[in-house]
């Protein structure tokens, strides 16, 4: 029979993956099968590593869907509620379409599509009750963020009482001077929810493309960060920080139209990534926006967010922040170094120094002490200035 004595074909993909065909097996003793293996092996042997990786990724998506459709995959107990973010059939069609592309964009796209396929396209939702408690603890340490935290707690309480597909947290806009802890709220919220966080500058000329991705026909085309954030993460509700929204401008690829679509619950459920030409559900992403002033914030954006004025932290709060910075440095470096108490007290009273600069000063003092082998770090404080230093959120 044709193919009975044909040697085994082995194709190496990357460093660890192998495609192996054994025509001696009964399944390959049919003429048609032997002929197919011969053509396939010839085609595979001429493919590049990127082409083969894309093919494997597309095949993985297809057979994962087949196995799940037959019910022959073990069902894992879900510890958290989940929602459908990516449609498995749409992902599969896109993966096979990407297999026809001719350059590195194909391989990069296939890998992200494979990530999107995990858990059959579903993503988990945060434990609202646990997050509520963790945010309550943050309120006692950061008095200037109490109001926005309370707003988030209200949404968490309502979401906990509703069906999973109703989960939503109101987008909020934090107003205030640079370096007063606005972005800190986003990091604390993400920590409480157990989700990842990403940050984007609203003033960038490529802001729109950064969020939606660009079509594969463009040179340097890449997937959008919204798709990638949800594909590579485990949660349907990551925290996205949109920094300095008062700097949104009418650029060639502005971020405002994209942002307005994401903030609308209806259009957010069918958000489209231009790179993949694929719709997915981005409606549960949690948005924390920052601005130094409300004056230049676009009115259309203001109508979709809840605005909070964030006052500068008072000395007692600043002192807690300074001590927390030192504790984190000790944990990260496995050193036991204290900050001179007098220096701590003085720095906490220096309201002319924003929190970003406070962090730099503490890092410098800690590094110097570590280099000299000293157990106590002393701060070198700048001269007092009535004008605040320029910083970032």
């Amino acid at each position: 029979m044709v193919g009975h004595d044909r040697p085994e074909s082995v194709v190496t993909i990357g460093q660890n993956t192998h495609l192996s065909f054994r025509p001696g097996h009964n399944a390959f003793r049919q003429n048609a099968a032997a002929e197919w293996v011969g053509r396939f092996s010839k085609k595979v042997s001429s493919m590049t590593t990127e082409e083969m990786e894309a093919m494997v990724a597309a095949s993985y998506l297809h057979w994962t869907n087949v196995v799940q459709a037959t019910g022959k995959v073990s069902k894992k107990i879900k510890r958290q509620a989940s929602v459908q973010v990516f449609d498995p059939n749409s992902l599969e069609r896109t993966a096979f379409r990407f297999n026809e592309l001719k350059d590195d964009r194909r391989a990069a796209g296939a890998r992200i599509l494979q990530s999107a396929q995990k858990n059959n396209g579903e993503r988990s939702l945060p434990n609202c009750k646990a997050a509520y408690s963790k945010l309550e603890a943050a309120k006692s340490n950061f008095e200037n963020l109490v109001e926005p935290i309370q707003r988030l707690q209200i949404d968490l309480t309502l979401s906990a009482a509703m069906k999973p597909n109703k989960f939503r947290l109101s987008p909020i806009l934090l107003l205030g001077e640079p370096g007063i802890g606005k972005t800190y709220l986003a990091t604390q919220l993400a920590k409480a929810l157990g989700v990842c966080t990403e940050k984007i500058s609203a003033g960038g000329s490529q802001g729109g493309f950064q969020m939606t991705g660009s079509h594969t026909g463009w040179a340097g085309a890449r997937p959008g960060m919204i798709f990638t954030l949800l594909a590579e993460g485990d949660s349907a509700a990551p925290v996205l920080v949109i920094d300095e929204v008062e700097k949104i401008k009418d650029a060639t690829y502005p971020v405002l139209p994209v942002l307005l679509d994401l903030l609308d619950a209806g259009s957010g459920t069918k958000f489209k990534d231009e790179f993949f030409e694929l719709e997915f559900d981005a409606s549960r992403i949690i948005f924390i926006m920052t601005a130094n002033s409300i004056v230049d914030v676009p009115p259309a954006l203001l109508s979709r967010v809840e605005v909070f004025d964030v006052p500068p932290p008072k000395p007692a709060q600043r002192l807690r922040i300074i001590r927390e910075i030192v504790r984190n440095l000790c944990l990260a470096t496995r050193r036991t170094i204290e900050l001179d108490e007098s220096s701590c007290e003085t720095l906490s009273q220096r309201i002319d120094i924003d929190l970003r600069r406070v962090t730099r000063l503490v890092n410098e003092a800690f590094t110097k002490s570590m280099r000299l082998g000293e157990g106590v770090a002393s701060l070198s404080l700048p001269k007092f200035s009535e004008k605040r230093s320029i910083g970032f959120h």
Side-chain angles (χ1 to χ4, degrees), residues 66-119:
V66 170
V67 172
Q68 290 170 338
T70 61
K72 293 181 180 179
V73 63
S74 59
K75 294 182 179 180
K76 295 182 179 179
I77 298 174
K78 296 180 179 178
R79 296 183 179 179
Q80 292 178 258
S82 61
V83 292
Q84 197 76 46
V85 171
F86 303 102
D87 176 61
N89 293 327
S90 298
L91 289 173
E92 184 180 332
R93 289 192 295 270
T94 302
F96 278 103
R97 178 173 58 82
F98 261 71
N99 195 32
E100 301 299 321
L101 295 181
K102 301 296 184 182
D103 55 27
D104 61 343
R105 278 167 280 188
R106 177 192 58 258
R111 286 192 292 271
I112 294 176
L113 283 171
Q114 185 171 332
S115 295
Q117 175 62 24
K118 66 184 178 183
N119 298 325

Side-chain angles (χ1 to χ4, degrees), residues 67-181:
V67 172
Q68 290 170 338
T70 61
K72 293 181 180 179
V73 63
S74 59
K75 294 182 179 180
K76 295 182 179 179
I77 298 174
K78 296 180 179 178
R79 296 183 179 179
Q80 292 178 258
S82 61
V83 292
Q84 197 76 46
V85 171
F86 303 102
D87 176 61
N89 293 327
S90 298
L91 289 173
E92 184 180 332
R93 289 192 295 270
T94 302
F96 278 103
R97 178 173 58 82
F98 261 71
N99 195 32
E100 301 299 321
L101 295 181
K102 301 296 184 182
D103 55 27
D104 61 343
R105 278 167 280 188
R106 177 192 58 258
R111 286 192 292 271
I112 294 176
L113 283 171
Q114 185 171 332
S115 295
Q117 175 62 24
K118 66 184 178 183
N119 298 325
N120 203 32
E122 293 186 1
R123 294 295 182 270
S124 65
L125 292 173
N127 184 323
C128 296
K129 293 181 179 179
Y132 184 102
S133 299
K134 291 178 180 178
L135 286 177
E136 188 67 25
K139 279 164 52 176
S140 62
N141 290 324
F142 294 88
E143 298 91 333
N144 64 334
L145 297 172
V146 167
E147 288 189 11
I149 289 176
Q150 287 176 335
R151 172 70 257 183
L152 292 168
Q153 287 180 307
I154 290 172
D155 286 348
L156 286 169
T157 301
L158 291 173
S159 292
M162 297 179 181
K163 294 181 179 180
N165 63 350
K166 298 294 184 182
F167 177 89
R168 296 286 189 287
L169 294 192
S170 303
I172 64 176
L173 171 61
L174 304 177
L175 295 175
E177 299 176 5
I180 59 174

Side-chain angles (χ1 to χ4, degrees), residues 99-349:
N99 195 32
E100 301 299 321
L101 295 181
K102 301 296 184 182
D103 55 27
D104 61 343
R105 278 167 280 188
R106 177 192 58 258
R111 286 192 292 271
I112 294 176
L113 283 171
Q114 185 171 332
S115 295
Q117 175 62 24
K118 66 184 178 183
N119 298 325
N120 203 32
E122 293 186 1
R123 294 295 182 270
S124 65
L125 292 173
N127 184 323
C128 296
K129 293 181 179 179
Y132 184 102
S133 299
K134 291 178 180 178
L135 286 177
E136 188 67 25
K139 279 164 52 176
S140 62
N141 290 324
F142 294 88
E143 298 91 333
N144 64 334
L145 297 172
V146 167
E147 288 189 11
I149 289 176
Q150 287 176 335
R151 172 70 257 183
L152 292 168
Q153 287 180 307
I154 290 172
D155 286 348
L156 286 169
T157 301
L158 291 173
S159 292
M162 297 179 181
K163 294 181 179 180
N165 63 350
K166 298 294 184 182
F167 177 89
R168 296 286 189 287
L169 294 192
S170 303
I172 64 176
L173 171 61
L174 304 177
L175 295 175
E177 299 176 5
I180 59 174
K182 299 193 292 293
T183 299
Y184 177 84
L185 175 61
T187 61
Q188 286 301 298
L189 175 59
K191 185 178 180 180
L193 295 171
V195 302
C196 61
T197 181
E198 188 66 64
K199 183 177 179 180
I200 183 175
S201 175
S205 60
Q206 301 291 324
F209 273 171
Q210 186 178 351
M211 298 178 80
T212 65
S214 49
H215 193 274
T216 53
W218 290 87
R222 288 291 181 270
M225 59 92 67
I226 301 296
F227 188 100
T228 303
L229 183 63
L230 290 168
E232 296 183 340
D234 297 318
S235 175
V239 175
L240 182 58
V241 181
I242 311 293
D243 202 23
E244 298 183 320
V245 293
E246 80 275 22
K247 295 183 180 180
I248 289 178
K249 51 191 176 184
D250 188 17
T252 307
Y253 308 108
V255 72
L256 183 59
V258 179
L259 189 53
L260 295 180
D261 278 346
L262 284 167
L263 294 176
D264 181 82
S267 57
T269 60
K270 296 182 178 180
F271 189 73
K272 183 179 181 181
D273 185 272
E274 297 298 334
F275 182 80
F276 293 115
E277 299 181 52
L278 184 67
E279 290 184 349
F280 59 101
D281 189 351
S283 63
R284 294 172 185 84
I285 291 177
I286 302 166
F287 290 91
I288 306 291
M289 284 162 264
T290 72
N292 296 333
S293 169
I294 200 172
V295 176
D296 294 319
V297 178
L301 184 59
L302 284 174
S303 67
R304 289 169 169 81
V305 301
E306 189 156 357
V307 182
F308 295 93
D309 288 305
V310 180
K314 295 181 178 180
Q317 181 179 336
R318 289 168 61 90
L319 184 59
R320 288 196 298 271
I321 293 172
I322 293 168
R323 288 172 174 165
E324 182 66 20
I325 295 170
V326 176
R327 280 194 295 270
N328 290 337
L329 287 171
C330 289
L331 288 173
T333 62
R334 298 180 181 179
R335 305 294 178 92
T336 302
I337 297 175
E338 298 178 355
L339 197 62
D340 176 67
E341 192 61 28
S342 176
S343 297
C344 282
E345 292 285 351
T346 303
L347 183 58
S348 69
Q349 300 289 332

